[in-house]
Amino acid sequence: MAASVARSQLTPLSRQITAKPSQSDQTPKCIVRFRPLNIPRRFNVTVKASINRNDEKIGGNNNKTAPALHPQSILDDDDDEEDAASKDSLNSLPRPLSSAQFSNFVSDGSRLRVAYQGVRGAYSESAAEKAYPNCEAVPCEQFDTAFEAVERWLVDRAVLPIENSLGGSIHRNYDLLLRHRLHIVGEVKFAVRHCLLANPGVKVEDLKRVLSHPQALAQCENTLTKLGLVREAVDDTAGAAKYVSFEQLKDTGAVASSSAAAIYGLNILAEDIQDDCDNVTRFLMLAREPIIPGTDRPFKTSIVFSLEEGPGVLFKALAVFALRQINLTKIESRPLRNQPLRSSDDNSGFGKYFDYLFYVDFEASMADQKAQNALRHLKEFATFLRVLGSYPIDTTIVP
């Protein structure tokens, strides 16, 4: 998923999920389409590395990669030429960039470089390619790494998830928006379509367990329960596909994208296995410099602010938008990390209370006078206010 972490280490769930869904949950809202068994050539798609021209420069000694995921430990000396070609194809995949590798990062500079979190085949990669067609997508191990890569001029942009229609907000990225000085220059909405993947020759009835990100497993609960599969959580969807492929598992499938199936040479046993078809992830496009807001098309503005404690203070803050007929599309509160608890000034009996930051999205451009007046009004009583970006609204969703 969009909130995935690109590590290959497995983190199994503590026990098998055996609870049966209620009668109303028996029928998924989406139609699951099972594909007939089709055995293609393994790794028939050759993927060229985009960032690691030299393995010793990028991730050659990545200690976070589990030994089980090294292709060298899979192929025996007497494997045929087809398996050897598969090994070469897998070795050509770019490894996720980590903070420790910044000083050795090399790019040819021929295309716009866009960082995303995850490994090849992640939904974030598809979102980056939708946001910036023909870009050089650069995988990063962590969300922090993507932010730092933009700040250090190693990449030009970053495309990172901020919320999902089913799973809610990506809190980590809200915190990173405040910690770093990047600007939101756009948004992209991407429809998540989960597939059940397995190695060539493996049928649905052969599967005993399935690997994926916890949110992806939860979003496909009805389908996976009907198939009687044990669910095991890993760090991300594409990483699950990668692990199943590298280990050549015959009793294990993965829930991931169709792109991951093509990259790692897996068969798609079933498509659209999510329980709810309205599964959309919203990504933010981040850059070092803001864009100039306009009024020629619909714009959205994202801000973060804090308030003094007191009755009706949040109501007063939100009223500055309502008074000017400005529609709010998102409000998110996060604890203020530097001072999460503050002593009360009154004698109400409550010694301490939480300090919060409020993230708000509203439908207006900063080029609009009413938006400027609203923030000027808010600044009169807000203890902190920062505009994270004013950018065009994405009205399209790629299925």
Side-chain angles (χ1 to χ4, degrees):
M1 272 288 298
S4 61
V5 179
R7 296 196 305 269
S8 54
Q9 184 70 28
L10 283 177
T11 311
L13 292 175
S14 58
R15 62 182 181 275
Q16 178 177 352
I17 300 176
T18 57
K20 295 183 179 180
S22 63
Q23 187 64 32
S24 61
D25 293 332
Q26 289 289 336
T27 305
K29 297 179 182 179
C30 289
I31 300 176
V32 179
R33 300 194 300 274
F34 288 90
R35 286 191 175 186
L37 183 63
N38 181 24
I39 305 178
R41 293 175 299 174
R42 286 187 61 83
F43 309 113
N44 55 356
V45 177
T46 301
V47 182
K48 295 183 178 180
S50 61
I51 62 172
N52 54 333
R53 304 298 193 275
N54 187 328
D55 282 346
E56 293 181 357
K57 291 185 176 182
I58 304 297
N61 296 313
N62 190 347
N63 294 328
K64 291 188 177 181
T65 302
L69 294 187
H70 289 171
Q72 290 87 340
S73 63
I74 298 174
L75 298 177
D76 297 328
D77 294 336
D78 56 350
D79 279 343
D80 55 22
E81 294 180 357
E82 182 178 355
D83 286 337
S86 300
K87 174 184 174 183
D88 293 338
S89 177
L90 286 170
N91 275 329
S92 70
L93 296 176
R95 300 185 183 183
L97 184 66
S98 66
S99 298
Q101 298 160 341
F102 281 157
S103 60
N104 294 326
F105 182 79
V106 177
S107 176
D108 57 14
S110 59
R111 292 182 293 168
L112 190 72
R113 296 161 294 171
V114 181
Y116 68 93
Q117 188 276 325
V119 298
R120 288 295 318 278
Y123 291 108
S124 293
E125 182 185 30
S126 299
E129 292 171 347
K130 178 195 173 185
Y132 298 102
N134 302 317
C135 70
E136 179 185 354
V138 180
C140 297
E141 283 188 345
Q142 307 288 344
F143 292 130
D144 313 55
T145 312
F147 274 88
E148 292 175 21
V150 180
E151 288 182 327
R152 298 190 185 189
W153 293 76
L154 298 174
V155 297
D156 304 293
R157 302 284 191 275
V159 174
L160 299 172
I162 197 64
E163 61 179 331
N164 176 264
S165 58
L166 302 181
S169 300
I170 314 298
H171 295 137
R172 178 61 179 164
N173 284 337
Y174 273 106
D175 296 338
L176 291 173
L177 282 172
L178 188 63
R179 181 182 303 177
H180 297 270
R181 299 298 299 182
L182 299 183
H183 302 270
I184 305 175
V185 297
E187 66 174 5
V188 58
K189 297 174 183 176
F190 192 83
V192 177
R193 300 180 62 184
H194 293 307
C195 300
L196 179 61
L197 312 181
N199 279 299
V202 177
K203 301 178 182 178
V204 174
E205 51 266 30
D206 298 329
L207 298 179
K208 294 182 175 59
R209 60 178 184 146
V210 62
L211 312 178
S212 195
H213 186 275
Q215 283 194 12
L217 294 175
Q219 292 166 6
C220 304
E221 181 176 357
N222 287 343
T223 301
L224 299 179
T225 298
K226 285 184 175 181
L227 295 176
L229 299 177
V230 178
R231 278 146 278 189
E232 294 187 11
V234 296
D235 291 326
D236 64 89
T237 56
K242 180 179 179 181
Y243 184 83
V244 169
S245 176
F246 277 16
E247 287 292 308
Q248 300 186 32
L249 302 175
K250 300 300 181 183
D251 64 344
T252 305
V255 174
S257 66
S258 57
S259 298
I263 291 171
Y264 300 113
L266 299 176
N267 270 356
I268 300 177
L269 301 184
E271 296 176 305
D272 296 325
I273 65 173
Q274 62 272 5
D275 299 334
D276 195 326
C277 293
D278 297 325
N279 186 4
V280 178
T281 299
R282 176 174 167 250
F283 294 79
L284 297 181
M285 301 152 63
L286 305 174
R288 289 179 292 273
E289 300 294 335
I291 62 172
I292 300 175
T295 56
D296 56 329
R297 51 180 168 167
F299 263 68
K300 179 184 294 184
T301 299
S302 297
I303 63 173
V304 56
F305 60 90
S306 61
L307 301 167
E308 285 288 352
E309 177 68 12
V313 177
L314 180 57
F315 171 81
K316 184 178 178 181
L318 300 181
V320 306
F321 302 101
L323 291 172
R324 296 167 177 86
Q325 300 299 308
I326 297 176
N327 183 46
L328 302 184
T329 60
K330 172 80 173 180
I331 180 168
E332 181 82 20
S333 63
R334 296 289 296 152
L336 189 57
R337 288 182 172 242
N338 291 337
Q339 49 183 61
L341 288 174
R342 188 191 299 184
S343 298
S344 177
D345 296 330
D346 56 25
N347 297 319
S348 60
F350 299 98
K352 293 182 181 293
Y353 60 85
F354 284 100
D355 247 349
Y356 285 97
L357 290 166
F358 298 95
Y359 292 83
V360 168
D361 294 344
F362 59 87
E363 292 180 336
S365 168
M366 283 307 297
D368 191 336
Q369 188 63 46
K370 67 179 182 180
Q372 298 177 21
N373 292 338
L375 294 192
R376 191 177 296 112
H377 190 178
L378 177 60
K379 195 172 182 180
E380 291 178 3
F381 50 89
T383 57
F384 167 78
L385 173 63
R386 176 175 156 192
V387 177
L388 299 172
S390 189
Y391 48 92
I393 295 176
D394 181 19
T395 57
T396 65
I397 298 178
V398 173

